[in-house]
PDB file of all heavy atoms in Angstrom:
ATOM      1  N   ASN P1037      -9.177   4.884  -7.512  1.00 81.00           N
ATOM      2  CA  ASN P1037     -10.000   5.971  -7.838  1.00 81.00           C
ATOM      3  C   ASN P1037     -11.518   5.612  -8.029  1.00 81.00           C
ATOM      4  O   ASN P1037     -12.348   6.272  -7.537  1.00 81.00           O
ATOM      5  CB  ASN P1037      -9.519   6.794  -9.057  1.00 81.00           C
ATOM      6  CG  ASN P1037      -8.350   7.671  -8.745  1.00 81.00           C
ATOM      7  OD1 ASN P1037      -8.136   8.015  -7.588  1.00 81.00           O
ATOM      8  ND2 ASN P1037      -7.641   8.016  -9.785  1.00 81.00           N
ATOM      9  N   ALA P1038     -11.707   4.470  -8.662  1.00 82.00           N
ATOM     10  CA  ALA P1038     -13.045   3.964  -8.798  1.00 82.00           C
ATOM     11  C   ALA P1038     -13.638   3.578  -7.432  1.00 82.00           C
ATOM     12  O   ALA P1038     -14.825   3.818  -7.152  1.00 82.00           O
ATOM     13  CB  ALA P1038     -13.110   2.763  -9.694  1.00 82.00           C
ATOM     14  N   VAL P1040     -12.720   4.914  -4.555  1.00 82.00           N
ATOM     15  CA  VAL P1040     -12.993   6.257  -3.892  1.00 82.00           C
ATOM     16  C   VAL P1040     -14.332   6.788  -4.330  1.00 82.00           C
ATOM     17  O   VAL P1040     -15.129   7.240  -3.551  1.00 82.00           O
ATOM     18  CB  VAL P1040     -11.802   7.219  -4.145  1.00 82.00           C
ATOM     19  CG1 VAL P1040     -12.192   8.647  -3.744  1.00 82.00           C
ATOM     20  CG2 VAL P1040     -10.565   6.815  -3.350  1.00 82.00           C
ATOM     21  N   TYR P1041     -14.596   6.807  -5.626  1.00 81.00           N
ATOM     22  CA  TYR P1041     -15.819   7.350  -6.110  1.00 81.00           C
ATOM     23  C   TYR P1041     -16.984   6.536  -5.589  1.00 81.00           C
ATOM     24  O   TYR P1041     -18.032   7.100  -5.253  1.00 81.00           O
ATOM     25  CB  TYR P1041     -15.808   7.339  -7.705  1.00 81.00           C
ATOM     26  CG  TYR P1041     -17.017   7.958  -8.258  1.00 81.00           C
ATOM     27  CD1 TYR P1041     -17.194   9.340  -8.123  1.00 81.00           C
ATOM     28  CD2 TYR P1041     -17.988   7.223  -8.867  1.00 81.00           C
ATOM     29  CE1 TYR P1041     -18.380   9.987  -8.645  1.00 81.00           C
ATOM     30  CE2 TYR P1041     -19.126   7.846  -9.390  1.00 81.00           C
ATOM     31  CZ  TYR P1041     -19.301   9.197  -9.277  1.00 81.00           C
ATOM     32  OH  TYR P1041     -20.417   9.785  -9.734  1.00 81.00           O
ATOM     33  N   PHE P1055     -19.666  11.406 -15.738  1.00 87.00           N
ATOM     34  CA  PHE P1055     -18.617  12.441 -15.904  1.00 87.00           C
ATOM     35  C   PHE P1055     -17.816  12.726 -14.669  1.00 87.00           C
ATOM     36  O   PHE P1055     -16.629  13.026 -14.764  1.00 87.00           O
ATOM     37  CB  PHE P1055     -19.193  13.706 -16.477  1.00 87.00           C
ATOM     38  CG  PHE P1055     -19.622  13.603 -17.972  1.00 87.00           C
ATOM     39  CD1 PHE P1055     -20.936  13.600 -18.277  1.00 87.00           C
ATOM     40  CD2 PHE P1055     -18.667  13.505 -18.922  1.00 87.00           C
ATOM     41  CE1 PHE P1055     -21.273  13.460 -19.618  1.00 87.00           C
ATOM     42  CE2 PHE P1055     -18.935  13.421 -20.207  1.00 87.00           C
ATOM     43  CZ  PHE P1055     -20.302  13.336 -20.614  1.00 87.00           C
ATOM     44  N   ASN P1056     -18.443  12.566 -13.490  1.00 82.00           N
ATOM     45  CA  ASN P1056     -17.691  12.775 -12.271  1.00 82.00           C
ATOM     46  C   ASN P1056     -16.633  11.652 -12.126  1.00 82.00           C
ATOM     47  O   ASN P1056     -15.492  11.953 -11.663  1.00 82.00           O
ATOM     48  CB  ASN P1056     -18.604  12.698 -11.043  1.00 82.00           C
ATOM     49  CG  ASN P1056     -19.443  13.959 -10.952  1.00 82.00           C
ATOM     50  OD1 ASN P1056     -19.124  14.939 -11.558  1.00 82.00           O
ATOM     51  ND2 ASN P1056     -20.534  13.863 -10.239  1.00 82.00           N
ATOM     52  N   LEU P1057     -16.894  10.436 -12.531  1.00 82.00           N
ATOM     53  CA  LEU P1057     -15.967   9.429 -12.522  1.00 82.00           C
ATOM     54  C   LEU P1057     -14.855   9.705 -13.520  1.00 82.00           C
ATOM     55  O   LEU P1057     -13.618   9.480 -13.235  1.00 82.00           O
ATOM     56  CB  LEU P1057     -16.567   8.019 -12.782  1.00 82.00           C
ATOM     57  CG  LEU P1057     -15.650   6.827 -12.832  1.00 82.00           C
ATOM     58  CD1 LEU P1057     -14.997   6.635 -11.457  1.00 82.00           C
ATOM     59  CD2 LEU P1057     -16.428   5.574 -13.213  1.00 82.00           C
ATOM     60  N   ILE P1058     -15.153  10.200 -14.690  1.00 86.00           N
ATOM     61  CA  ILE P1058     -14.114  10.570 -15.697  1.00 86.00           C
ATOM     62  C   ILE P1058     -13.259  11.656 -15.111  1.00 86.00           C
ATOM     63  O   ILE P1058     -12.001  11.607 -15.255  1.00 86.00           O
ATOM     64  CB  ILE P1058     -14.853  11.067 -16.966  1.00 86.00           C
ATOM     65  CG1 ILE P1058     -15.604   9.909 -17.602  1.00 86.00           C
ATOM     66  CG2 ILE P1058     -13.827  11.657 -17.953  1.00 86.00           C
ATOM     67  CD1 ILE P1058     -14.785   8.727 -18.034  1.00 86.00           C
ATOM     68  N   TYR P1059     -13.772  12.657 -14.477  1.00 86.00           N
ATOM     69  CA  TYR P1059     -12.980  13.768 -13.835  1.00 86.00           C
ATOM     70  C   TYR P1059     -12.084  13.170 -12.845  1.00 86.00           C
ATOM     71  O   TYR P1059     -10.910  13.586 -12.764  1.00 86.00           O
ATOM     72  CB  TYR P1059     -13.923  14.763 -13.147  1.00 86.00           C
ATOM     73  CG  TYR P1059     -14.730  15.554 -14.143  1.00 86.00           C
ATOM     74  CD1 TYR P1059     -16.109  15.842 -13.872  1.00 86.00           C
ATOM     75  CD2 TYR P1059     -14.287  16.060 -15.353  1.00 86.00           C
ATOM     76  CE1 TYR P1059     -16.938  16.542 -14.745  1.00 86.00           C
ATOM     77  CE2 TYR P1059     -15.015  16.709 -16.262  1.00 86.00           C
ATOM     78  CZ  TYR P1059     -16.394  16.965 -15.946  1.00 86.00           C
ATOM     79  OH  TYR P1059     -17.190  17.681 -16.769  1.00 86.00           O
ATOM     80  N   LEU P1060     -12.482  12.206 -12.050  1.00 82.00           N
ATOM     81  CA  LEU P1060     -11.660  11.589 -11.063  1.00 82.00           C
ATOM     82  C   LEU P1060     -10.486  10.852 -11.715  1.00 82.00           C
ATOM     83  O   LEU P1060      -9.347  10.890 -11.237  1.00 82.00           O
ATOM     84  CB  LEU P1060     -12.482  10.580 -10.211  1.00 82.00           C
ATOM     85  CG  LEU P1060     -11.800  10.071  -8.884  1.00 82.00           C
ATOM     86  CD1 LEU P1060     -11.647  11.125  -7.910  1.00 82.00           C
ATOM     87  CD2 LEU P1060     -12.719   9.023  -8.327  1.00 82.00           C
ATOM     88  N   LEU P1061     -10.800  10.124 -12.781  1.00 81.00           N
ATOM     89  CA  LEU P1061      -9.755   9.428 -13.575  1.00 81.00           C
ATOM     90  C   LEU P1061      -8.824  10.343 -14.333  1.00 81.00           C
ATOM     91  O   LEU P1061      -7.694   9.997 -14.606  1.00 81.00           O
ATOM     92  CB  LEU P1061     -10.397   8.372 -14.424  1.00 81.00           C
ATOM     93  CG  LEU P1061     -11.123   7.255 -13.758  1.00 81.00           C
ATOM     94  CD1 LEU P1061     -11.852   6.332 -14.720  1.00 81.00           C
ATOM     95  CD2 LEU P1061     -10.287   6.517 -12.792  1.00 81.00           C
ATOM     96  N   LEU P1062      -9.350  11.515 -14.672  1.00 85.00           N
ATOM     97  CA  LEU P1062      -8.415  12.493 -15.428  1.00 85.00           C
ATOM     98  C   LEU P1062      -7.290  12.998 -14.544  1.00 85.00           C
ATOM     99  O   LEU P1062      -6.290  13.521 -15.136  1.00 85.00           O
ATOM    100  CB  LEU P1062      -9.311  13.767 -15.824  1.00 85.00           C
ATOM    101  CG  LEU P1062     -10.046  13.607 -17.140  1.00 85.00           C
ATOM    102  CD1 LEU P1062     -10.894  14.804 -17.401  1.00 85.00           C
ATOM    103  CD2 LEU P1062      -9.180  13.302 -18.320  1.00 85.00           C
ATOM    104  N   ALA P1063      -7.390  12.827 -13.287  1.00 84.00           N
ATOM    105  CA  ALA P1063      -6.298  13.155 -12.382  1.00 84.00           C
ATOM    106  C   ALA P1063      -5.051  12.372 -12.634  1.00 84.00           C
ATOM    107  O   ALA P1063      -3.896  12.738 -12.256  1.00 84.00           O
ATOM    108  CB  ALA P1063      -6.707  13.100 -10.955  1.00 84.00           C
ATOM    109  N   GLU P1064      -5.173  11.276 -13.358  1.00 82.00           N
ATOM    110  CA  GLU P1064      -4.025  10.397 -13.674  1.00 82.00           C
ATOM    111  C   GLU P1064      -3.106  11.083 -14.682  1.00 82.00           C
ATOM    112  O   GLU P1064      -2.041  10.615 -14.931  1.00 82.00           O
ATOM    113  CB  GLU P1064      -4.498   9.031 -14.177  1.00 82.00           C
ATOM    114  CG  GLU P1064      -5.225   8.196 -13.129  1.00 82.00           C
ATOM    115  CD  GLU P1064      -4.455   8.023 -11.878  1.00 82.00           C
ATOM    116  OE1 GLU P1064      -3.263   7.690 -11.938  1.00 82.00           O
ATOM    117  OE2 GLU P1064      -5.088   8.234 -10.764  1.00 82.00           O
ATOM    118  N   LEU P1111     -13.986  19.161  -7.664  1.00 87.00           N
ATOM    119  CA  LEU P1111     -13.902  18.342  -6.443  1.00 87.00           C
ATOM    120  C   LEU P1111     -13.327  16.941  -6.790  1.00 87.00           C
ATOM    121  O   LEU P1111     -12.439  16.468  -6.146  1.00 87.00           O
ATOM    122  CB  LEU P1111     -15.274  18.155  -5.768  1.00 87.00           C
ATOM    123  CG  LEU P1111     -15.384  17.146  -4.678  1.00 87.00           C
ATOM    124  CD1 LEU P1111     -14.702  17.595  -3.447  1.00 87.00           C
ATOM    125  CD2 LEU P1111     -16.840  16.800  -4.453  1.00 87.00           C
ATOM    126  N   PHE P1112     -13.809  16.346  -7.817  1.00 86.00           N
ATOM    127  CA  PHE P1112     -13.325  15.036  -8.234  1.00 86.00           C
ATOM    128  C   PHE P1112     -11.912  15.001  -8.801  1.00 86.00           C
ATOM    129  O   PHE P1112     -11.188  14.121  -8.610  1.00 86.00           O
ATOM    130  CB  PHE P1112     -14.391  14.369  -9.137  1.00 86.00           C
ATOM    131  CG  PHE P1112     -15.613  13.973  -8.449  1.00 86.00           C
ATOM    132  CD1 PHE P1112     -16.751  14.672  -8.589  1.00 86.00           C
ATOM    133  CD2 PHE P1112     -15.625  12.904  -7.513  1.00 86.00           C
ATOM    134  CE1 PHE P1112     -17.937  14.366  -7.951  1.00 86.00           C
ATOM    135  CE2 PHE P1112     -16.764  12.551  -6.874  1.00 86.00           C
ATOM    136  CZ  PHE P1112     -17.894  13.257  -7.044  1.00 86.00           C
ATOM    137  N   VAL P1113     -11.584  16.066  -9.532  1.00 89.00           N
ATOM    138  CA  VAL P1113     -10.215  16.176  -9.950  1.00 89.00           C
ATOM    139  C   VAL P1113      -9.246  16.352  -8.786  1.00 89.00           C
ATOM    140  O   VAL P1113      -8.203  15.692  -8.778  1.00 89.00           O
ATOM    141  CB  VAL P1113     -10.053  17.325 -10.982  1.00 89.00           C
ATOM    142  CG1 VAL P1113      -8.573  17.684 -11.328  1.00 89.00           C
ATOM    143  CG2 VAL P1113     -10.868  17.092 -12.222  1.00 89.00           C
ATOM    144  N   LEU P1115      -9.763  15.374  -5.685  1.00 88.00           N
ATOM    145  CA  LEU P1115      -9.705  14.026  -4.962  1.00 88.00           C
ATOM    146  C   LEU P1115      -8.755  13.047  -5.736  1.00 88.00           C
ATOM    147  O   LEU P1115      -8.046  12.285  -5.167  1.00 88.00           O
ATOM    148  CB  LEU P1115     -11.103  13.455  -4.853  1.00 88.00           C
ATOM    149  CG  LEU P1115     -11.972  14.027  -3.764  1.00 88.00           C
ATOM    150  CD1 LEU P1115     -13.349  13.440  -3.786  1.00 88.00           C
ATOM    151  CD2 LEU P1115     -11.346  13.761  -2.408  1.00 88.00           C
ATOM    152  N   GLY P1116      -8.886  13.080  -7.028  1.00 87.00           N
ATOM    153  CA  GLY P1116      -8.057  12.177  -7.867  1.00 87.00           C
ATOM    154  C   GLY P1116      -6.582  12.471  -7.700  1.00 87.00           C
ATOM    155  O   GLY P1116      -5.771  11.542  -7.561  1.00 87.00           O
ATOM    156  N   ILE P1117      -6.204  13.750  -7.665  1.00 90.00           N
ATOM    157  CA  ILE P1117      -4.838  14.136  -7.541  1.00 90.00           C
ATOM    158  C   ILE P1117      -4.314  13.742  -6.143  1.00 90.00           C
ATOM    159  O   ILE P1117      -3.206  13.184  -6.070  1.00 90.00           O
ATOM    160  CB  ILE P1117      -4.639  15.623  -7.806  1.00 90.00           C
ATOM    161  CG1 ILE P1117      -4.849  15.951  -9.268  1.00 90.00           C
ATOM    162  CG2 ILE P1117      -3.266  16.141  -7.363  1.00 90.00           C
ATOM    163  CD1 ILE P1117      -4.960  17.432  -9.599  1.00 90.00           C
ATOM    164  N   SER P1119      -5.489  11.378  -4.159  1.00 87.00           N
ATOM    165  CA  SER P1119      -5.354   9.933  -4.047  1.00 87.00           C
ATOM    166  C   SER P1119      -4.175   9.410  -4.883  1.00 87.00           C
ATOM    167  O   SER P1119      -3.467   8.460  -4.483  1.00 87.00           O
ATOM    168  CB  SER P1119      -6.641   9.245  -4.516  1.00 87.00           C
ATOM    169  OG  SER P1119      -6.861   9.372  -5.891  1.00 87.00           O
TER     170      SER P1119
END
Side-chain angles (χ1 to χ4, degrees):
N1037 281 340
V1040 166
Y1041 184 69
F1055 286 109
N1056 289 341
L1057 180 60
I1058 296 299
Y1059 295 136
L1060 191 66
L1061 295 177
L1062 278 176
E1064 297 304 314
L1111 168 73
F1112 289 105
V1113 171
L1115 282 173
I1117 291 171
S1119 69

